[in-house]
Amino acid sequence: MIQSPSLQTTLPNRTEAGRRLVEPLLKYANRPDVIVLALPRGGVPVAYEVATALNVRLDLMLVRKLGIPSHPEFAMGAIASGGIQILNDDALRVHPIDRASFEAVVARETQELSRREQVYRGARPPLQLKDQVVILVDDGLATGSSMMAAVHAVRVQSPARIVVAVPVAPLETVEVLRSEVNEVICPLIPEWMMSIGYWYLNFAQTSDEEVIDLMHQAWQREASSGCTTEHVDA
């Protein structure tokens, strides 16, 4: 029997999902060496609540899923800022594609990743993550390919600690990530994942405008509080 979400397990929306991540992360509150990195677009409203409640910095980790052409909802891998590329070998075995088709997907998603970098961050310098505690946040995980790409992109900058915090994910994905990072926070681990949206009452698509608005609010808060953030080349 497929597990059906109840009112106790369903997430009302991304804002509430973010609030549910705060308590397990309270040990990171008010620390200048902590930064929350949101995976746009859906991870931004979640991460905004986390960073605001913890009173820590917020920025973006740009990642794009590489969807299988015949089944775009299934990830055959992911790319992240800095030229990071992760492949999902299991998905490619089930849905093999030729190199030309694969490269076409990579090219399209790379172009979209670059567009988002420009639209969301503009001229904002890359973050310095060396010796920082980095909390990666998304609105949920399925295969975990996008988050794994984000983890690899962060790791090359030698952070002090990498934490993954998501509202919902399957056990298999959580266990894989636990072997890759220092800590995984995931309040809801369904027996059957179905899809991320299945566990939300409201899972409407997050717009570019919402991402930009939330990030500007966060950066204005940091500026007014005198929070200083070092930047170097990624």
Side-chain angles (χ1 to χ4, degrees):
M1 179 182 295
I2 295 177
Q3 181 180 5
S4 297
S6 67
L7 290 177
Q8 287 71 38
T9 58
T10 301
L11 301 161
N13 51 47
R14 291 181 179 89
T15 297
E16 179 59 30
R19 291 170 181 163
R20 294 187 187 185
L21 293 174
V22 172
E23 185 174 355
L25 294 168
L26 283 176
K27 60 188 173 184
Y28 299 112
N30 303 306
R31 287 177 50 175
D33 63 333
V34 173
I35 182 166
V36 174
L37 295 185
L39 275 63
R41 287 181 299 210
V44 173
V46 183
Y48 178 83
E49 294 299 320
V50 173
T52 301
L54 298 183
N55 191 34
V56 297
R57 292 169 291 151
L58 175 65
D59 215 288
L60 301 169
M61 171 51 65
L62 278 295
V63 178
R64 291 296 295 169
K65 179 178 74 174
L66 301 175
I68 295 169
S70 58
H71 298 84
E73 69 277 13
F74 292 112
M76 60 181 175
I79 57 173
S81 300
I84 301 296
Q85 183 180 107
I86 301 295
L87 297 182
N88 184 336
D89 293 331
D90 291 339
L92 286 169
R93 277 193 292 268
V94 175
H95 301 283
I97 66 170
D98 59 81
R99 173 162 290 276
S101 297
F102 176 82
E103 290 179 351
V105 173
V106 172
R108 182 178 69 247
E109 297 303 338
T110 299
Q111 183 178 25
E112 175 61 14
L113 188 148
S114 298
R115 183 195 73 83
R116 292 188 179 197
E117 290 247 19
Q118 180 59 41
V119 170
Y120 299 161
R121 302 192 82 254
R124 192 174 173 86
L127 284 165
Q128 163 64 275
L129 300 179
K130 181 176 172 59
D131 299 327
Q132 302 295 290
V133 175
V134 178
I135 304 175
L136 288 163
V137 177
D138 205 351
D139 56 10
L141 303 177
T143 66
S145 295
S146 295
M147 183 60 76
M148 192 64 73
V151 168
H152 282 242
V154 169
R155 186 181 291 145
V156 298
Q157 294 197 47
S158 302
R161 186 174 180 83
I162 303 177
V163 180
V164 170
V166 294
V168 58
L171 179 60
E172 180 180 4
T173 299
V174 169
E175 291 299 331
V176 170
L177 283 167
R178 280 178 177 155
S179 68
E180 295 285 336
V181 301
N182 300 100
E183 184 178 5
V184 178
I185 303 296
C186 184
L188 178 55
I189 303 178
E191 186 176 352
W192 286 277
M193 184 61 192
M194 299 294 288
S195 67
I196 297 171
Y198 183 76
W199 298 95
Y200 279 81
L201 288 177
N202 180 351
F203 199 63
Q205 186 175 23
T206 304
S207 66
D208 281 350
E209 291 74 20
E210 184 177 0
V211 169
I212 294 166
D213 180 59
L214 290 174
M215 295 309 302
H216 283 178
Q217 287 185 52
W219 292 333
Q220 287 171 3
R221 172 180 61 82
E222 293 165 18
S224 64
S225 65
C227 177
T228 58
T229 307
E230 293 183 286
H231 298 272
V232 299
D233 293 336

